[in-house]
């Protein structure tokens, strides 16, 4: 069902029917319950901590020094966080924190090709998202600062992230011409 058709249907409901639908959604779905609780008491920092913990738990999945983290789950957590309407600064903060965690874990675990490519794509997505929301300067400063940290990740990964930054900046420059 599309959003427009849902809207048409909801307009025909009475107040009591709408309340009943919302209460049913609240009690039947864990995701709906989390959304309504956030809606009634919007605490972005608490929600951010929950998502960071979820991502950290995913990144800690390993077997015999090989990471079993799933980039799809990590991206889903970021998308879910964004769906709460927390604002671009908070979403950018989660994206950057996730990138830092991915880079930091790389020093200790072997990554699959999919996780490596997903990490580099997340860097590009972070830059694109930040540019679209007017916070690109902060994102670039964060990433460049991270690449200068010698204790984080490996030199090869930081260099590859520098390349991803350059490619993303070049692509953004071409779009704006």
């Amino acid at each position: 069902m599309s959003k427009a058709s849902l809207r048409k249907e909801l307009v025909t409901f009475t107040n009591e029917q709408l309340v009943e639908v919302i209460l049913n959604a609240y009690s039947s779905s864990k995701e709906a319950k989390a959304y309504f609780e956030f809606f009634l008491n919007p605490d972005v920092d608490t929600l951010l901590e929950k998502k960071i913990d979820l991502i950290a738990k995913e990144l800690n999945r390993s077997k015999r020094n090989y990471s079993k983290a799933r980039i799809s789950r990590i991206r889903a957590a970021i998308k879910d966080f964004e769906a709460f309407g927390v604002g671009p600064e908070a979403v950018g903060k989660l994206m950057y924190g996730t990138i830092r965690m991915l880079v930091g874990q790389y020093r200790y675990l072997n990554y699959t090709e999919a996780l490596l490519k997903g990490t580099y794509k997340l860097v590009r997505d972070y830059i694109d998202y930040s540019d679209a929301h007017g916070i690109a300067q902060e994102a670039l400063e964060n990433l460049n600062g991270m690449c200068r940290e010698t204790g984080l990740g490996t030199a090869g990964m930081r260099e590859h992230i520098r390349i991803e930054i350059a490619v993303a900046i070049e692509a953004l420059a071409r779009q704006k011409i």
Side-chain angles (χ1 to χ4, degrees):
M1 174 182 280
S2 71
K3 215 174 182 181
S5 59
L6 178 62
R7 182 185 308 272
K8 284 181 186 178
E9 189 67 30
L10 290 176
V11 169
T12 65
F13 285 19
T14 65
N15 260 355
E16 294 80 26
Q17 289 173 320
L18 283 173
V19 168
E20 193 62 33
V21 167
I22 291 170
L23 289 175
N24 286 339
Y26 182 84
S27 62
S28 68
S29 170
K30 187 171 77 171
E31 291 83 12
K33 183 177 182 177
Y35 177 78
F36 287 125
E37 286 177 359
F38 181 78
F39 179 76
L40 296 173
N41 185 16
D43 187 357
V44 176
D45 293 333
T46 302
L47 184 63
L48 179 65
E49 285 178 28
K50 285 181 184 178
K51 293 301 176 183
I52 287 173
D53 290 345
L54 181 81
I55 292 168
K57 184 177 177 182
E58 182 66 30
L59 286 172
N60 285 326
R61 294 179 73 239
S62 65
K63 186 174 183 181
R64 296 187 180 129
N65 274 354
Y66 284 90
S67 176
K68 296 293 183 183
R70 298 161 292 192
I71 195 70
S72 60
R73 292 277 176 108
I74 293 168
R75 288 183 156 287
I78 294 169
K79 186 177 179 181
D80 184 48
F81 182 70
E82 185 180 6
F84 278 87
V86 294
E89 291 84 12
V91 174
K93 190 174 182 180
L94 179 61
M95 291 175 92
Y96 175 63
T98 302
I99 293 166
R100 283 189 64 85
M101 287 189 287
L102 282 160
V103 171
Q105 280 283 68
Y106 187 68
R107 177 173 249 177
Y108 305 104
L109 294 173
N110 296 311
Y111 281 8
T112 63
E113 190 66 28
L115 189 56
L116 273 175
K117 286 180 179 179
T119 301
Y120 302 139
K121 182 165 178 8
L122 185 59
V123 169
R124 289 189 307 270
D125 291 347
Y126 174 49
I127 295 169
D128 292 342
Y129 180 86
S130 298
D131 183 59
H133 292 90
I135 54 174
Q137 186 64 36
E138 179 184 341
L140 292 172
E141 288 171 6
N142 287 340
L143 290 171
N144 284 320
M146 181 188 70
C147 289
R148 285 191 295 272
E149 290 182 42
T150 56
L152 186 65
T154 64
M157 182 176 235
R158 289 193 310 270
E159 183 58 32
H160 199 89
I161 289 174
R162 281 188 192 99
I163 292 168
E164 293 296 334
I165 293 168
V167 168
I169 290 172
E170 186 178 310
L172 290 173
R174 274 186 266 135
Q175 287 176 357
K176 293 183 180 186
I177 291 179

